[in-house]
Amino acid sequence: MPAHLLVVDRRADVKWAKDGLPVISARDYIAHPEQAPRGARVLNLSRSYRYLGTGYYVSLLAEARGERVIPSVRTILDLSQKTFYRAQLAEVEEALRKAIKRMDHPPEASFNLTLFFGHADDARFQDIARTIFDLFRCPLLKVQVRLKDGWTVHALEPLSLADLRPDQKPLFQAALDAYTRTSWREPTAKAPPRYTLAILHNPKEELPPSSPRALQKFVKAGESLGIAVELIEKKDYARLAEFDALFIRETTNLDHHTYRFAKKAAAEGMPVIDDPNSILKCTNKVYLAELLRANRIPAPKTVIFDKRGLATLDQEIPYPIVLKIPDGSFSRGVFKVQTRSELDATAQSLFEQSDVILAQEFMYTEFDWRVGVLNRQPIYVCQYLMAKKHWQIVKHGGNGRAEQGSSRTLAVEEAPREVIETAVKAAGLIGDGLYGVDVKQNERGVFVIEINDNPSIDLGVEDAKLKDGLYRLIMGEFLRRLESRPRKPGSGA
């Protein structure tokens, strides 16, 4: 990761800077760019950011030079007038009111918060501070909170080092240390990572795409490639912009925080797997069925129907019939019906969740093929066997517990060529992300059952052939995307 660079009006303004954190005057930064470390992340601590002032030009020139800087010119302009930032505060104010309502000893009058790189001087408002810093990445910010017909954010005001009280300076120094910590290494320590990557996961998920041990494999693989990897959760949404890339290892859905994380990461210009477009396409089986049909990818006979089409469904597909809700995962929302009465009862239940459902011909096989595809290339092949005494890979019990069948992993070159080629072609219809393509093979040929945007990568299963190489392969794709992405002026540090 590039070093951070502090830009101040006078070098004397920073008496406590540590070795390894370069400091340069605003005048020298503007007039002598050769004095600044190449590729540094610029922390503009100028005393004023007024339009066309010195502080403004520091951020403007940083962006012109392709450097990441906070505050960006856009942030400076947003904070210059209340009318510019007022519309962005609705989420902040709602969170503020909820936070105060939960407090045992809430404030009773208007007050000010001071934020240091997103850290609040009042720890009770730390979540609020992170949200504000995510919206307005300014090193020092005063937040005026007013109590008048409810709690509101009255104003935001950038601060300078000269505005800090003596008791606030240690808080600022600690926040600065935390913000730049990846650049602060002892000479004997290994080189600091070039990039940071967040892995979104849910430690309470029953059937996660990757187990905790597999997640640690990703962490180690990232570190070996110069990527600092941190596991984050839903509550860390406001921190997302602190990272360079996002890897979602939690079951995705559209009406879900995973999709919001993906959308935000994409908007920030971050490499993200699963990208929002892949989630949008893969999580809806209606879309997938039509996509496969339109592109002549072999698949089981599929009928998309609503309540009016239920009456004649079994004239189009013989029993047993497989019924699916559009956005199920891990075999959830998938049912096999054998008779007309079962069809009517199951379909009516599914119509309570979706106006349109899918019916598919049932294909018995001992196992399903799963081909892992990354950036249009196959990276692993598994055979997932059916759960014991069940027709699916995963059997969901009435007690909420799930049983899974066993698996066999093959090298890509050991799998049937037709299976691999069909899976890669199907995944290519979605994009260049990471996909798990489920395929059935019988005497009639090869048929695509599903394309998963968030496939399982787990210890002892998908990695059985490549071992640590599988994790390194996926982290290597992130590295390739990070190094090939275009610089985004004004994206912040």
Side-chain angles (χ1 to χ4, degrees):
M1 178 182 291
H4 290 84
L5 173 68
L6 264 60
V7 179
V8 295
D9 286 275
R10 298 181 306 170
R11 294 178 63 90
D13 289 344
V14 186
K15 299 182 176 66
W16 32 257
K18 294 184 179 181
D19 294 337
L21 184 60
V23 180
I24 190 173
S25 70
R27 178 175 297 179
D28 285 343
Y29 181 80
I30 292 171
H32 304 288
E34 70 280 0
Q35 294 185 15
R38 190 175 182 83
R41 295 184 173 186
V42 179
L43 308 182
N44 183 0
L45 297 177
S46 299
R47 295 189 178 190
S48 171
Y49 302 122
R50 65 177 177 83
Y51 182 61
L52 300 184
T54 302
Y56 175 87
Y57 276 112
V58 167
S59 289
L60 184 70
L61 291 174
E63 293 179 12
R65 295 167 186 170
E67 308 291 0
R68 301 178 69 180
V69 59
I70 63 168
S72 65
V73 172
R74 178 177 176 178
T75 297
I76 290 173
L77 294 176
D78 283 350
L79 292 172
S80 65
Q81 294 187 39
K82 189 181 297 187
T83 53
F84 292 165
Y85 63 74
R86 179 70 254 172
Q88 300 182 62
L89 293 177
E91 178 185 351
V92 174
E93 292 182 332
E94 181 181 359
L96 176 71
R97 295 181 191 115
K98 289 181 179 178
I100 292 177
K101 189 175 182 179
R102 291 194 300 265
M103 290 179 184
D104 293 332
H105 303 287
E108 297 178 354
S110 301
F111 62 95
N112 294 334
L113 282 175
T114 302
L115 310 188
F116 317 94
F117 294 98
H119 292 267
D121 59 350
D122 186 334
R124 297 178 299 172
F125 296 95
Q126 183 53 41
D127 289 345
I128 308 299
R130 285 199 176 279
T131 301
I132 293 174
F133 185 64
D134 189 49
L135 292 171
F136 309 100
R137 283 173 232 159
C138 187
L140 283 165
L141 198 62
K142 180 167 75 173
V143 183
Q144 298 179 23
V145 181
R146 296 291 176 264
L147 177 57
K148 185 179 181 181
D149 299 325
W151 293 101
T152 61
V153 176
H154 176 68
L156 302 176
E157 179 186 348
L159 299 176
S160 72
L161 293 173
D163 296 319
L164 297 182
R165 303 188 307 267
D167 64 298
Q168 291 179 319
K169 291 182 179 180
L171 296 176
F172 171 77
Q173 183 176 351
L176 177 63
D177 288 352
Y179 192 77
T180 61
R181 64 185 179 274
T182 53
S183 297
W184 292 42
R185 303 276 180 169
E186 297 298 326
T188 56
K190 63 181 179 181
R194 290 177 290 166
Y195 303 104
T196 57
L197 179 144
I199 295 182
L200 176 64
H201 78 303
N202 177 3
K204 297 181 180 179
E205 188 171 5
E206 180 189 3
L207 294 172
S210 294
S211 66
R213 292 175 64 192
L215 293 177
Q216 289 305 313
K217 291 283 188 179
F218 281 117
V219 173
K220 291 180 180 179
E223 290 176 350
S224 72
L225 296 172
I227 304 173
V229 180
E230 181 177 338
L231 302 181
I232 65 170
E233 300 176 34
K234 176 183 177 181
K235 62 183 175 62
D236 296 309
Y237 181 76
R239 296 184 53 214
L240 184 58
E242 297 176 14
F243 300 92
D244 296 309
L246 173 66
F247 188 23
I248 298 178
R249 289 281 80 198
E250 180 176 353
T251 303
T252 54
N253 213 327
L254 288 178
D255 187 19
H256 195 246
H257 66 270
T258 49
Y259 184 64
R260 293 194 293 273
F261 269 79
K263 286 276 287 182
K264 186 182 178 80
E268 292 283 348
M270 300 162 58
V272 53
I273 297 175
D274 320 334
D275 64 273
N277 194 47
S278 293
I279 297 175
L280 182 65
K281 292 178 178 179
C282 288
T283 54
N284 193 292
K285 294 181 176 64
V286 170
Y287 176 90
L288 282 178
E290 188 65 17
L291 183 71
L292 296 174
R293 185 198 65 78
N295 288 275
R296 301 182 183 277
I297 302 292
K301 183 175 181 179
T302 301
V303 174
I304 301 168
F305 68 102
D306 57 15
K307 290 182 179 179
R308 290 176 296 180
L310 178 59
T312 59
L313 178 66
D314 52 0
Q315 297 174 26
E316 299 183 65
I317 299 179
Y319 294 106
I321 300 172
V322 178
L323 299 181
K324 299 181 179 182
I325 58 173
D327 60 352
S329 60
F330 288 107
S331 300
R332 297 184 184 92
V334 181
F335 302 89
K336 184 174 68 171
V337 296
Q338 305 274 9
T339 64
R340 182 72 216 189
S341 60
E342 287 184 3
L343 172 61
D344 289 337
T346 304
Q348 291 301 334
S349 175
L350 296 180
F351 280 132
E352 294 178 4
Q353 303 175 56
S354 176
D355 290 342
V356 174
I357 58 179
L358 282 85
Q360 226 170 40
E361 66 171 309
F362 174 67
M363 285 185 172
Y364 171 79
T365 53
E366 180 187 349
F367 59 84
D368 286 355
W369 289 102
R370 164 70 63 83
V371 181
V373 180
L374 176 64
N375 191 23
R376 307 182 190 277
Q377 297 296 320
I379 59 173
Y380 68 84
V381 183
C382 288
Q383 295 175 344
Y384 295 151
L385 280 71
M386 303 302 149
K388 189 176 182 180
K389 297 182 180 179
H390 192 58
W391 61 280
Q392 292 172 288
I393 294 166
V394 181
K395 180 180 180 181
H396 295 277
N399 57 1
R401 302 182 69 87
E403 298 178 18
Q404 293 181 263
S406 59
S407 64
R408 294 189 289 260
T409 304
L410 289 74
V412 171
E413 59 272 16
E414 295 173 340
R417 181 176 178 181
E418 186 182 5
V419 169
I420 300 298
E421 290 180 348
T422 302
V424 170
K425 184 178 179 181
L429 299 176
I430 305 297
D432 60 359
L434 172 64
Y435 310 107
V437 184
D438 292 344
V439 175
K440 282 186 179 292
Q441 184 181 31
N442 58 24
E443 66 282 355
R444 292 164 49 195
V446 169
F447 302 87
V448 174
I449 304 299
E450 197 163 76
I451 307 172
N452 302 278
D453 64 290
N454 195 247
S456 298
I457 306 288
D458 224 340
L459 207 65
V461 184
E462 291 78 12
D463 68 357
K465 284 292 182 179
L466 293 180
K467 306 295 183 183
D468 291 351
L470 180 60
Y471 304 95
R472 189 178 175 89
L473 190 64
I474 295 170
M475 289 293 102
E477 174 62 16
F478 273 106
L479 180 61
R480 184 192 69 79
R481 296 183 184 204
L482 285 164
E483 292 184 333
S484 62
R485 65 179 178 173
R487 285 189 175 273
K488 184 179 178 183
S491 62

